[in-house]
Amino acid sequence: MASPILLFLFSIFLYSFPHLIQSLTADQTVQTFIIRVDSQSKPSVFPTHYHWYASEFADPPRILHTYDTVFHGFSASLTQSEADTIGKNPSVLAVFEDRRRELHTTRSPQFLGLRNQRGLWSDSDYGSDVIIGLLDTGIWPERRSFSDRNLGPVPSRWKGACQAGEKFTVQNCNRKLIGAKFFSKGHDASASVGGPMVSNGTVEYRSPRDADGHGTHTASTAAGRYVFQANMSGYASGIAKGVAPKARLAVYKVCWKNSGCFDSDILSAFDAAVKDGVDVISISIGGSDGVSSPYYLDPIAIGSYGAVSRGIFVSSSAGNGGPDVMTVTNLAPWLTTVGAGTIDRNFPAVIKLGNGKQFSGVSLYAGAPIHGKMYPLVYPGKSGVLAASLCMENSLDPNVVRGKIVICDRGSSARVAKGLEVKKAGGVGMILANGMSAGEGLVGDAHILPACSIGVNEGDLVKKYLSSTPNPTATIDFQGTLLGIKPAPIVASFSGRGLNGLDPNILKPDLIAPGVNILAAWTDAIGPSGLDSDTRRTEFSILSGTSMACPHVSGAAALLKSAHPNWSPAMIRSALMTTANVLDNRNQPMMDEANGKPSTPYGFGAGHVNLGQAMDPGLVYDITNVDYVNFLCGVGYGLKEIQIITKSVARCPRKKPLAENLNYPSIAAWFSSAKVGAISKNFLRTVTNVGEVNAVYTVKVESPKGVTIVVKPTKLAFTAAVKKLSYVVTVTTDSKNLVLDDSGAVFGSISWSDGVGKHVVRSPIVVTLLTPL
């Protein structure tokens, strides 16, 4: 209870300074705003920042979260006019709207180069005692993947807690799942979701318990224990395990089934995770594909900077907006941004037509098979009705599709939901045909009726057969699990692609990891299709997305953190990037699933993660907090905008830094298309020797056609006294002679080799022309 003196002082303040928040009128729309406040401006009369916020800015019931670790300020339910008034307060650095974000929805550890008896798994003790914080949809704690059998005590540095809630108690945590919290105030306040969530134990749980499945899947991908006899309805049978099986998990539920994830809740979870003591943060969440806010208006960028600046590695998903260029998300240079690739396992299904032709596709259907019976084939899109071609809800005529296999076009609704519509209308099966945007990219789905996905070319051929035959027929043959697929990895069609639409000085994504048809633990609240009507229950499910790729890198970072506890987040990222593979399992250039052509760094970044090499990278590129501030100065941010990100008051050097000199493991060289003649740019990089003390590295340059790349010096000699050395890369081109590919760029690389074949430190180089605004 507040003391009389404190209440008196509050009264004096309220009398002296008119309240900024006026009472609501019926025609004012209330929404959530996030307020960034200069923490040093708090009047001494207030014992805490919360007391200050509640007195000067917003009534206490309207304050949702207060932030004090990665961010200083609060979120509150306000009208636009109230937010505008608050923004004029000299203590307020920024005001921005709460936005809704999206989720970027067994053999993969081996495919990363991990082996039981040697290498990073054994050298890191499988990530033991490293704490991974996951911002996601929660967790289903009873799964075998989260057993604490034979694990030691919870690390003593852990300061977090297990938050009880609906169907979740403190006993659900253990020595594996050491913390669990949920964040819903921003979600509940959002008018876009119609008020507080439905919480009846079947739709959603007001607790860390996972009703969606996504969080359980990503948690077990990153750090699931060994589980024998794992499979999803017979598919992908074997031993399931996460990348860092002994790492500890702390779950922060910020996403809610069917209603997304809100910035104000995400920022609060970042605050909590850093205070709790996590070592790695995994966030498979992002905005609309290819649409990015400036770093100082992006709570994921701000929260992750607060984490990275304290030595916490943050892994994020690149988004699922591919294969179009400039669709990659989570672009901040302190984030490690992960795209998705395939692994050497597939789930083939074959479509057999009445004319004898066959087409290969993918499916995870596990129900009663068709047994080769031929059924009539129909394409509702022949009517010219778009909704029918997409098999949208209530768009199919039972008189047309009953007893038939139905061709549905991909897009506008969930793939499995199309199968539900076919089944409701009496169809016996579905052929799901890609459009041009998805190309040849295929992912498996646990359909509720016999169904198979095929690429755009195969889909066109099936439709051509249907149009040319009076009585077209087809059947689907499901062929189970196939291992040893070549080529692999392939860059997934859906994976977000560069160019970096926010800052072309930074190449994104940073790298790719397994993200197609990944087996991992699943919730018991919903079936493997994710449909509410799906009554099947499985311990594991198979999902695809950059959401699945991100936790692979989170687990990889945990292993590296365990093996090298003094490495910074930038050093860990550097080790992963410079040792990544750019060749597939045929020893050929990695391919792009969308078009069947060789992929580029716009698709795979530095390459596909290779943990067999990452533990001993030889050289690393480190980045300090001062380096990031100088980068922000270099891209033109003002001191106020930088302070929004960094919390502390920033100082830019008298001479403006060059943003391209951020010590990044990749190089993005962009030139103005308006300039004529030869044009050059210099890039300064510094490497730290983390390998043999006395080592000499020489450089190898791969220059694309029309570009000259020169590195000086060409040799780096390290000793016990010389652990850091710098070099300059000069990229020269002539816009008249530069022939760009379809993505508007050309690609090269530099590689530093120790001469004995143990270390090759590779950096991709992207060269592009941009039209000045």
Side-chain angles (χ1 to χ4, degrees):
M1 183 175 179
S3 69
I5 293 177
L6 184 59
L7 292 174
F8 174 74
L9 291 173
F10 266 52
S11 299
I12 293 294
F13 185 87
L14 292 173
Y15 180 79
S16 302
F17 298 92
H19 208 288
L20 293 177
I21 305 303
Q22 305 299 320
S23 59
L24 298 179
T25 58
D27 61 341
Q28 289 177 310
T29 301
V30 174
Q31 60 190 105
T32 301
F33 289 87
I34 299 171
I35 319 297
R36 172 67 167 93
V37 180
D38 180 0
S39 63
Q40 302 303 315
S41 298
K42 180 182 74 67
S44 59
V45 67
F46 297 108
T48 68
H49 282 84
Y50 172 78
H51 287 90
W52 178 33
Y53 304 152
S55 178
E56 189 167 350
F57 299 109
D59 296 326
R62 299 169 67 188
I63 294 178
L64 305 177
H65 297 290
T66 59
Y67 312 107
D68 60 11
T69 303
V70 301
F71 185 83
H72 264 304
F74 64 98
S75 58
S77 299
L78 306 167
T79 65
Q80 184 65 58
S81 62
E82 291 169 343
D84 292 342
T85 302
I86 286 177
K88 296 174 183 176
N89 188 295
S91 299
V92 172
L93 299 176
V95 176
F96 39 96
E97 294 181 18
D98 198 11
R99 291 187 303 160
R100 176 178 171 173
R101 303 285 182 139
E102 303 169 351
L103 294 163
H104 289 153
T105 171
T106 62
R107 274 176 56 85
S108 49
Q110 283 83 357
F111 199 67
L112 293 172
L114 291 169
R115 296 292 184 268
N116 287 345
Q117 302 304 321
R118 56 184 174 84
L120 188 52
W121 253 348
S122 58
D123 291 344
S124 68
D125 191 23
Y126 299 83
S128 179
D129 289 350
V130 175
I131 303 168
I132 303 175
L134 286 108
L135 278 60
D136 214 293
T137 65
I139 193 166
W140 197 266
E142 292 83 4
R143 290 307 185 212
R144 290 183 290 166
S145 297
F146 310 123
S147 165
D148 66 354
R149 183 179 180 184
N150 296 327
L151 285 181
V154 173
S156 59
R157 68 184 187 282
W158 175 244
K159 300 181 181 66
C162 196
Q163 182 182 3
E166 185 178 4
K167 295 192 176 181
F168 195 96
T169 70
V170 294
Q171 282 73 39
N172 286 125
C173 290
N174 56 21
R175 296 189 307 277
K176 176 67 174 179
L177 177 62
I178 64 174
K181 296 179 179 179
F182 65 99
F183 302 81
S184 63
K185 291 179 180 178
H187 167 279
D188 292 349
S190 174
S192 66
V193 296
M197 73 193 77
V198 178
S199 183
N200 59 11
T202 58
V203 175
E204 185 52 278
Y205 304 100
R206 190 176 290 279
S207 75
R209 187 168 289 279
D210 182 11
D212 179 90
H214 189 277
T216 301
H217 197 280
T218 57
S220 62
T221 299
R225 303 298 303 277
Y226 278 71
V227 177
F228 294 89
Q229 297 181 338
N231 66 87
M232 192 210 78
S233 302
Y235 286 99
S237 297
I239 301 171
K241 49 192 171 295
V243 179
K246 286 188 179 181
R248 314 307 173 104
L249 286 168
V251 169
Y252 301 86
K253 182 176 178 177
V254 296
C255 300
W256 301 87
K257 184 181 173 186
N258 299 328
S259 54
C261 335
F262 289 84
D263 280 343
S264 58
D265 295 332
I266 293 170
L267 197 54
S268 187
F270 267 113
D271 230 35
V274 173
K275 282 188 285 191
D276 289 346
V278 303
D279 302 299
V280 173
I281 290 176
S282 184
I283 177 166
S284 294
I285 301 167
S288 299
D289 297 310
V291 179
S292 299
S293 299
Y295 306 134
Y296 61 87
L297 295 179
D298 180 356
I300 291 180
I302 294 169
S304 60
Y305 180 88
V308 170
S309 66
R310 290 165 172 80
I312 300 168
F313 181 93
V314 183
S315 175
S316 61
S317 47
N320 297 338
D324 293 337
V325 297
M326 213 161 68
T327 50
V328 61
T329 64
N330 291 322
L331 303 175
W334 43 86
L335 279 168
T336 298
T337 307
V338 188
T342 64
I343 61 174
D344 59 346
R345 178 181 67 197
N346 201 7
F347 308 104
V350 176
I351 296 168
K352 299 178 180 179
L353 302 181
N355 62 1
K357 291 187 177 180
Q358 299 185 9
F359 300 97
S360 295
V362 171
S363 181
L364 293 170
Y365 173 70
I370 293 179
H371 291 305
K373 182 178 179 181
M374 304 297 290
Y375 287 91
L377 184 65
V378 64
Y379 176 45
K382 285 186 66 176
S383 66
V385 178
L386 179 61
S389 70
L390 294 167
C391 299
M392 301 293 285
E393 187 174 6
N394 299 322
S395 67
L396 300 180
D397 184 350
N399 295 322
V400 174
V401 306
R402 186 180 294 113
K404 300 175 182 178
I405 293 176
V406 181
I407 302 172
C408 297
D409 290 332
R410 181 173 170 180
S412 298
S413 64
R415 300 181 298 272
V416 290
K418 298 176 187 294
L420 175 62
E421 291 304 309
V422 171
K423 186 174 183 178
K424 283 165 53 178
V428 298
M430 177 180 70
I431 296 172
L432 183 61
N434 280 0
M436 289 301 297
S437 61
E440 301 305 313
L442 299 178
V443 294
D445 291 302
H447 291 286
I448 62 172
L449 85 170
C452 173
S453 296
I454 55 176
V456 60
N457 293 330
E458 290 82 357
D460 289 345
L461 291 172
V462 172
K463 292 172 187 176
K464 183 178 180 180
Y465 159 72
L466 182 143
S467 298
S468 63
T469 305
N471 299 299
T473 59
T475 190
I476 306 173
D477 179 23
F478 302 97
Q479 300 186 343
T481 303
L482 186 62
L483 303 177
I485 296 294
K486 291 185 178 181
I490 295 173
V491 177
S493 177
F494 58 77
S495 188
R497 306 296 209 274
L499 172 79
N500 183 332
L502 188 60
D503 185 355
N505 293 297
I506 303 297
L507 173 63
K508 293 286 183 175
D510 291 310
L511 73 172
I512 64 170
V516 179
N517 296 331
I518 303 301
L519 178 78
W522 189 244
T523 178
D524 220 23
I526 198 166
S529 70
L531 296 170
D532 289 334
S533 60
D534 188 352
T535 59
R536 298 173 295 175
R537 294 296 180 265
T538 59
E539 184 181 5
F540 293 88
S541 190
I542 295 172
L543 299 183
S544 298
T546 56
S547 276
M548 285 61 254
C550 170
H552 279 88
V553 170
S554 305
L559 296 178
L560 288 171
K561 186 73 173 177
S562 181
H564 303 286
N566 295 323
W567 279 13
S568 70
M571 294 169 76
I572 292 174
R573 174 176 59 193
S574 175
L576 293 168
M577 289 178 65
T578 61
T579 60
N581 289 330
V582 293
L583 302 178
D584 60 28
N585 56 3
R586 307 168 304 170
N587 209 33
Q588 297 293 317
M590 203 183 317
M591 306 300 288
D592 190 319
E593 186 183 41
N595 55 25
K597 299 178 181 179
S599 188
T600 73
Y602 275 175
F604 56 66
H608 187 280
V609 64
N610 175 14
L611 290 183
Q613 299 294 322
M615 187 191 72
D616 184 14
L619 306 176
V620 293
Y621 296 84
D622 198 8
I623 305 176
T624 67
N625 295 342
V626 172
D627 294 330
Y628 286 126
V629 170
N630 287 341
F631 166 81
L632 295 172
C633 297
V635 297
Y637 283 11
L639 297 182
K640 182 178 178 180
E641 294 163 338
I642 296 173
Q643 187 182 354
I644 294 169
I645 300 168
T646 64
K647 284 183 58 180
S648 58
V649 177
R651 288 182 174 85
C652 287
R654 188 170 293 179
K655 182 180 179 182
K656 184 179 179 181
L658 296 175
E660 58 262 32
N661 282 342
L662 181 68
N663 202 37
Y664 220 71
S666 56
I667 293 175
W670 64 273
F671 299 94
S672 171
S673 60
K675 292 186 177 181
V676 295
I679 45 179
S680 298
K681 268 190 179 181
N682 295 324
F683 300 84
L684 176 65
R685 292 294 187 268
T686 300
V687 286
T688 302
N689 182 22
V690 293
E692 285 73 16
V693 173
N694 297 302
V696 177
Y697 285 79
T698 55
V699 72
K700 176 184 177 183
V701 176
E702 293 184 2
S703 298
K705 187 176 181 180
V707 177
T708 301
I709 300 173
V710 176
V711 180
K712 292 183 178 180
T714 59
K715 184 175 292 187
L716 300 174
F718 297 92
T719 66
V722 180
K723 295 184 178 180
K724 292 189 176 185
L725 289 171
S726 298
Y727 64 91
V728 175
V729 179
T730 301
V731 180
T732 305
T733 188
D734 188 328
S735 59
K736 290 184 179 180
N737 300 324
L738 189 62
V739 180
L740 305 176
D741 72 358
D742 293 340
S743 67
V746 293
F747 307 91
S749 68
I750 60 170
S751 301
W752 291 97
S753 173
D754 63 1
V756 297
K758 184 175 183 181
H759 299 119
V760 177
V761 185
R762 184 181 182 279
S763 294
I765 298 179
V766 176
V767 181
T768 189
L769 298 178
L770 298 178
T771 303
L773 297 176

